[in-house]
């Protein structure tokens, strides 16, 4: 755990420092020479992050020092569930989020929220209370939609697919 | 001065003003307690309604909303581990573990007592020390600001988790994310999409980081066994607990007053600094983060301690310290009152009316808090498997409505997934958040300081104030490392 984390942190900050900053943080020519350029701060932070990542890695290599770098272990709550099941559940949740973003474009905010809420209720295991889940999935987004659009004048996306059908 | 205060007291003590303030406090508590609905949102939405009101009642309404929402943030922080506002993020650290032990009521009561105390002390300080503190804040330049924020970040990193290194990694991640968007020279950084040119807003990052991982934990681990522990349960703060927390409350209130009076620092940094100080000086320091009631007292007294003092630079200098006081500045202007040194000469009566009204609002906060606590305690009876999806939907609607933008919703969901990874790697979320909030100011002040000195970094240790904050930061690091080494040996 500690070694993986150290590697991940080092690699993450390394990617930012060596790949992303050169591409996505330009140095405008109009800035006077003595003034710190826009990439100065991200570079400082990334370098510090890399050093900390290496430190985490170094501390995790020794049993004596591991406790300093690795006080907690999230794996404790994993229990006996196989890793594959956990990854599948996580993948499904992320997929639901991605589908929601696409569904807002097609079906509109309200319908997409109803679908997402239904899907998430299934994933949390609460769907066994079918009628409560179904009522909450439909009524809550509807009430929020009415409140926000009427009281606060929020304009929610209507959805291209529904618009095409004249809805 | 006393005579003027008495006259102002008579003018403020009307049924109409009380009702307006009560409505503001009540509305603020409810809005602050709903994840995704922020105090800024409450104040901004109420602004158009104040056009039709008298100047002082309208300002009092906005102040009441601000105070109510600052306390309200702690309600959801304690009950569902989702801080309603950024400043309540620190309350989550001890409030939620207490709720899981079946002592949600106790945590909520302590949050209310310390919020009211912080609020009251803040108002008193506003009345009596507005001008001197504002003068002191004026003398703080970019190097001092930079060092002050470095100190705040170091403290936060040291206290939020059980490893200083992981806290610092978290802070670095937050600082890095804060650089997304337009920089002080107008160039764009990390603009992977056009939307990213505007940067990442605080609300979706905050809510995403604290609310969505809770849902993902339930989905992935099916860990829904928290239902029983989430009952309101024991709700009495004993005399012994109150006495034990009094020192932290008073200290937290003073930290809130001082940090609130400095423009840009705000209640989040104050809450974390106060928490760090309380943990350092408490006999029960090792219990912080596990459900220590003193931790709640420290953070809540500090964040509400800012409510009155953020008005100090606004009233005395005409400088809004944060978004909310910025909105209030607009409200003052709409009503023909120009905040600044001249306000104390031309509109002294209105200033005193405002002071008195703010004192009343502390009492109203107590009443509204007590009543709302019972109302919100029902939240704790909803099973997590149902509650987490409901929170997700509240967040989606709340975040979308802030700027009518799907980009913010995507940021919210992405931050949720990121927050879940942070949880898996035991990286604490609090330093990330505070670094993200302070990041732009930290960078701006560093770059300004370096530009002032033509690139000479010695400017960062050029004055006694910078030395003071730098020494404090080093002190915090040494103490934290020492404590962790001792723990590792044991």
């Amino acid at each position: 755990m500690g070694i993986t984390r150290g590697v991940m942190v080092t690699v993450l900050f390394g990617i930012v420092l060596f790949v992303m900053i050169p591409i996505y943080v330009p140095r405008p020519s109009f800035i006077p020479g003595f003034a710190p350029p826009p990439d100065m701060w991200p570079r400082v932070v990334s370098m510090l992050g890399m050093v900390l990542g290496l430190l985490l890695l170094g501390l995790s290599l020794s049993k004596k020092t591991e406790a300093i770098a690795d006080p907690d272990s999230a794996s404790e709550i994993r229990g006996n569930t196989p890793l594959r099941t956990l990854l599948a559940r996580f993948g499904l949740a992320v997929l639901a989020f991605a589908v929601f973003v696409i569904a807002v474009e097609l079906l509109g905010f309200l319908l997409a929220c109803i679908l997402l809420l239904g899907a998430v209720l299934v994933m949390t295991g609460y769907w066994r209370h079918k009628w409560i889940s179904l009522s909450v999935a439909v009524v809550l987004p509807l009430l929020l939609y009415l409140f926000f659009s009427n009281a606060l004048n929020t304009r929610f996306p209507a959805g291209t697919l529904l618009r095409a059908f004249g809805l | 001065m006393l005579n003027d205060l008495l006259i102002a007291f008579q003018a403020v003590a009307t049924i109409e003003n009380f009702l307006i303030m009560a409505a503001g406090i009540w509305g603020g508590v409810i809005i602050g307690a709903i994840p995704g609905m922020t105090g800024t949102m409450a104040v901004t939405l109420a602004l158009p309604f104040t056009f039709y009101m008298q100047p002082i009642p309208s300002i009092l309404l906005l102040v009441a909303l601000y105070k109510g929402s600052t306390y309200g943030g702690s309600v959801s922080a304690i009950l569902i581990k989702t801080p309603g506002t950024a400043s309540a993020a620190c309350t989550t650290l001890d409030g939620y573990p207490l709720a899981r032990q079946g002592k949600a009521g106790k945590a909520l009561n302590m949050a209310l007592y310390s919020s009211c105390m912080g609020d009251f002390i803040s108002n008193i300080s506003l009345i009596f020390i507005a001008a001197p503190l504002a003068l002191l804040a004026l003398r703080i330049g970019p190097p001092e600001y930079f060092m002050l924020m470095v100190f705040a970040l170091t403290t936060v990193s040291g206290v939020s988790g059980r490893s200083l290194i992981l806290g610092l990694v978290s802070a670095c991640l937050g600082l890095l994310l804060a650089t997304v968007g337009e920089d002080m020279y107008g160039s764009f950084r990390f603009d992977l999409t056009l939307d990213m040119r505007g940067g990442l807003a605080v609300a979706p990052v905050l809510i995403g980081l604290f609310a969505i991982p809770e849902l993902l934990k339930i989905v992935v681990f099916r860990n829904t066994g928290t239902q029983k522990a989430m009952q309101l349960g024991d709700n009495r703060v004993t005399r012994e607990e109150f006495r034990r927390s009094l020192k932290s409350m008073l200290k937290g209130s003073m930290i809130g007053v001082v940090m609130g009076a400095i423009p840009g620092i705000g209640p989040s940094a104050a809450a974390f600094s106060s928490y760090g100080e309380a943990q350092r000086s408490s006999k029960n320091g090792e219990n912080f983060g596990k459900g220590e009631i003193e931790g709640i007292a420290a953070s809540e007294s500090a964040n509400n301690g800012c409510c009155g003092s953020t008005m100090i630079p606004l009233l005395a200098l005409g400088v809004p310290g944060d978004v909310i006081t910025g909105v209030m500045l607009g409200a003052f202007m709409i009503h023909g009152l120009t905040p600044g040194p001249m306000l104390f000469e031309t509109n002294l009566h209105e200033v005193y009316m405002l002071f008195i009204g703010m004192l009343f609002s502390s009492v109203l906060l107590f009443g509204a808090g007590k009543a709302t606590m019972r109302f919100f305690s029902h939240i704790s009876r909803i099973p997590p498997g149902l509650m987490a999806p409901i929170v997700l939907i509240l967040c989606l609607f709340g975040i979308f409505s802030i700027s009518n933008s799907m980009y913010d919703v995507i940021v919210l969901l992405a931050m949720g997934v990121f927050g879940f990874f942070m949880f898996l790697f035991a990286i604490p979320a609090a330093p990330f958040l505070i670094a993200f909030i302070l990041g732009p100011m930290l960078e701006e002040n560093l770059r300004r300081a370096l530009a002032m000195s033509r690139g000479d970094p010695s400017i960062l240790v050029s004055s006694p104030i910078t030395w003071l904050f730098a020494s404090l930061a080093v002190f915090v690091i040494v103490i934290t490392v020492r404590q962790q080494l001792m723990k590792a040996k044991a």
Side-chain angles (χ1 to χ4, degrees):
Chain A
M1 169 68 177
I3 295 171
T4 317
R5 182 172 47 202
V7 171
M8 292 283 279
V9 170
T10 312
V11 169
L12 179 69
F13 283 107
I15 289 172
V16 174
L17 184 62
F18 298 115
V19 181
M20 295 191 72
I21 292 176
I23 300 171
Y24 292 108
V25 187
R27 280 184 174 212
S29 54
F30 61 81
I31 296 175
F34 62 85
D39 63 338
M40 181 271 287
W41 184 239
R43 274 184 201 280
V44 169
V45 176
S46 308
M47 278 191 254
L48 183 62
M50 269 191 82
V51 170
L52 290 167
L54 290 170
L55 195 60
L56 277 175
L57 189 61
L59 289 170
S60 303
L61 292 174
S62 154
K63 281 274 175 205
K64 276 185 184 173
T65 52
E66 196 183 6
I68 303 167
D70 195 15
D72 294 309
S73 180
S75 58
E76 277 171 21
I77 65 161
R78 182 180 141 189
N80 297 323
T81 320
L83 186 64
R84 196 182 291 176
T85 312
L86 297 176
L87 284 173
R89 286 178 190 163
F90 176 68
L92 273 175
V94 175
L95 183 70
F97 290 167
V99 170
F100 165 76
V101 173
I102 298 163
V104 170
E105 283 288 307
L106 294 173
L107 305 172
F109 199 82
L110 176 63
L111 268 181
C113 278
I114 291 173
L115 289 176
L116 178 68
L117 188 50
V120 174
L121 282 166
V122 171
M123 283 190 261
T124 58
Y126 195 77
W127 193 256
R128 60 183 180 275
H129 307 281
K130 273 194 188 60
W131 290 110
I132 302 175
S133 298
L134 200 63
S135 317
V136 169
V138 176
V139 174
L140 179 72
L142 196 63
L143 284 177
L144 287 170
Y145 186 86
L146 290 172
F147 171 73
F148 277 97
S149 47
N150 292 324
L152 307 179
N153 223 10
T154 307
R155 312 293 298 168
F156 291 101
T160 48
L161 202 65
L162 293 184
R163 263 205 308 267
F165 286 107
L167 294 169
Chain B
M1 183 184 177
L2 273 174
N3 194 36
D4 289 328
L5 282 169
L6 273 174
I7 294 168
F9 178 85
Q10 282 178 325
V12 173
T14 63
I15 302 265
E16 187 198 7
N17 284 338
F18 272 110
L19 286 176
I20 286 169
M21 280 189 285
I25 293 272
W26 183 269
V29 172
I30 291 172
I31 289 174
I34 298 172
M37 304 279 283
T38 61
T40 310
M41 208 169 150
V43 173
T44 313
L45 288 171
L47 186 64
F49 297 102
T50 64
F51 293 173
Y52 310 100
M53 294 162 65
Q54 291 296 312
I56 294 305
S58 69
I59 305 289
L60 286 177
L61 174 69
L62 299 180
V63 171
L65 276 166
Y66 178 29
K67 289 181 175 195
S69 63
T70 306
Y71 164 68
S74 69
V75 176
S76 53
I78 290 166
L79 291 177
I80 50 176
K81 206 187 173 185
T82 304
T85 55
S87 59
C90 201
T91 309
T92 314
L93 300 176
D94 284 293
Y96 187 68
L98 261 177
R100 291 191 61 165
Q101 292 163 23
K103 296 173 185 169
K106 192 189 279 282
L108 286 170
N109 267 318
M110 182 47 92
L112 181 62
Y113 299 152
S114 33
S115 291
C116 290
M117 184 178 280
D119 195 51
F120 190 75
I121 291 175
S122 183
N123 292 335
I124 294 285
S125 72
L126 172 68
I127 294 170
F128 289 103
I129 53 172
L133 261 181
L135 275 175
L136 183 74
L138 250 189
R139 289 174 62 182
I140 290 181
E144 287 83 6
Y145 258 122
F146 174 75
M147 275 301 168
L148 172 64
M149 284 183 245
V150 166
F151 164 60
L153 266 184
T154 317
T155 315
V156 172
S157 306
V159 302
S160 300
R162 270 169 266 171
S163 161
L164 176 70
I165 305 172
L166 289 176
L168 289 172
V169 167
S170 178
C172 284
L173 289 168
L175 287 174
L176 207 54
L177 204 74
T179 61
V180 174
E182 194 175 358
D183 93 318
M184 60 190 284
Y185 290 118
S187 64
F188 296 105
R189 297 182 293 192
F190 301 112
D191 53 338
L192 279 70
T193 66
L194 270 179
D195 287 320
M196 287 177 82
R197 292 189 155 200
L200 304 172
V202 175
V205 172
L206 157 76
I207 305 291
L209 207 62
F210 281 91
I212 312 294
E214 291 307 309
L215 169 80
L216 288 173
K217 275 181 220 171
I218 294 171
V219 168
V220 175
F221 300 111
R222 292 279 164 92
N223 179 22
T224 52
T226 51
Q227 187 187 349
K228 204 173 176 184
M230 291 286 286
Q231 302 293 317
L232 198 61
D234 180 11
N235 63 0
R236 283 182 62 190
V237 175
T238 61
R239 196 173 290 178
E240 163 58 22
E241 284 168 335
F242 188 83
R243 193 191 56 74
R244 183 156 56 87
S245 307
L246 193 61
K247 199 174 83 176
S248 295
M249 264 194 253
L250 291 171
K251 252 196 243 176
S253 304
M254 291 318 295
I255 289 171
V257 166
V258 174
M259 293 186 97
I262 302 170
I265 301 292
S268 306
F272 280 105
S273 299
S274 166
Y275 187 84
E277 170 51 29
Q279 187 182 29
R280 192 195 60 75
S281 59
S282 171
K283 285 176 189 165
N284 305 308
E286 71 280 4
N287 291 336
F288 275 58
K290 298 174 189 165
E292 174 56 52
I293 202 158
E294 219 180 314
I296 298 173
S299 63
E300 280 302 306
S301 57
N303 67 24
N304 269 76
C306 285
C307 289
S309 62
T310 45
M311 300 289 281
I312 293 172
L314 178 70
L315 291 177
L317 309 167
V319 179
D322 55 13
V323 185
I324 292 182
T325 42
V327 176
M328 283 179 195
L329 175 67
F332 271 102
M333 306 288 255
I334 287 162
H335 291 290
L337 302 168
T338 309
M342 290 301 288
L343 188 72
F344 288 82
E345 294 197 2
T346 55
N347 297 89
L348 191 64
H349 181 60
E350 280 80 3
V351 171
Y352 282 155
M353 278 175 74
L354 187 62
F355 287 167
I356 296 292
M358 287 178 77
L359 280 177
F360 278 142
S361 64
S362 296
V363 182
L364 290 170
L365 177 65
F366 187 80
K370 276 278 181 195
T372 316
M373 199 184 298
R374 288 192 196 101
F375 169 69
F376 271 95
S377 68
H378 296 295
I379 289 174
S380 64
R381 299 202 180 109
I382 304 174
L386 177 64
M387 190 63 212
I390 289 176
V391 170
L392 171 72
I393 293 300
L394 283 173
C395 294
L396 291 176
F397 273 91
I399 292 298
F400 183 87
S401 69
I402 291 176
S403 53
N404 279 16
S405 153
M406 265 311 281
Y407 167 66
D408 281 352
V409 173
I410 294 168
V411 171
L412 171 92
L413 297 172
M415 283 313 301
V417 175
F418 187 72
F420 183 67
F421 276 112
M422 284 177 69
F423 159 75
L424 289 180
F425 286 112
I427 297 173
F432 179 99
L433 177 71
I434 202 75
F436 179 75
I437 293 170
L438 290 183
M441 285 183 283
L442 191 79
E443 183 190 356
E444 200 177 310
N445 282 296
L446 172 66
R447 287 172 71 179
R448 274 197 188 151
L450 289 175
M452 275 161 59
S453 67
R454 298 198 149 246
D456 181 5
S458 67
I459 192 171
L460 300 174
V461 281
S462 60
S463 73
I465 299 174
T466 56
W467 270 105
L468 173 74
F469 289 128
S471 311
L472 284 172
V474 172
F475 177 72
V476 167
I477 290 174
V478 171
I479 291 284
T480 316
V481 169
R482 197 169 149 258
Q483 277 176 350
Q484 283 173 8
L485 282 173
M486 279 165 71
K487 252 184 223 167
K489 273 181 191 168

